[in-house]
Amino acid sequence: MRVVVRYRIEGGLTDALGHLVACDGDVCTIRTRKADVVIQLSEVVAAKEVPPAPERRRPAQ
């Protein structure tokens, strides 16, 4: 499932956008384009499922 999760970090909030790969009682793991992000559930402010990413366009020739 593809999700966006808004969570607290030092100095404010940030988002993780990617696929939910694991979730237990304390943490969830989101696989973003760059890396897996492990988020403490106590830091989550909001989360929702989002549609699949649009397909990348080929460069014009």
Side-chain angles (χ1 to χ4, degrees):
M1 164 184 337
R2 189 164 180 258
V3 297
V4 61
V5 177
R6 176 157 293 174
Y7 61 101
R8 291 181 198 90
I9 59 170
E10 188 175 321
L13 300 170
T14 192
D15 296 326
L17 173 65
H19 288 89
L20 178 65
V21 293
C23 190
D24 65 22
D26 298 322
V27 298
C28 65
T29 304
I30 310 298
R31 181 160 292 147
T32 68
R33 284 187 178 181
K34 294 183 179 184
D36 285 1
V37 179
V38 179
I39 304 167
Q40 293 289 324
L41 293 179
S42 61
E43 301 299 320
V44 172
V45 175
K48 68 178 181 179
E49 186 174 357
V50 294
E55 291 189 28
R56 292 179 179 223
R57 293 184 176 191
R58 295 181 187 200
Q61 295 180 350

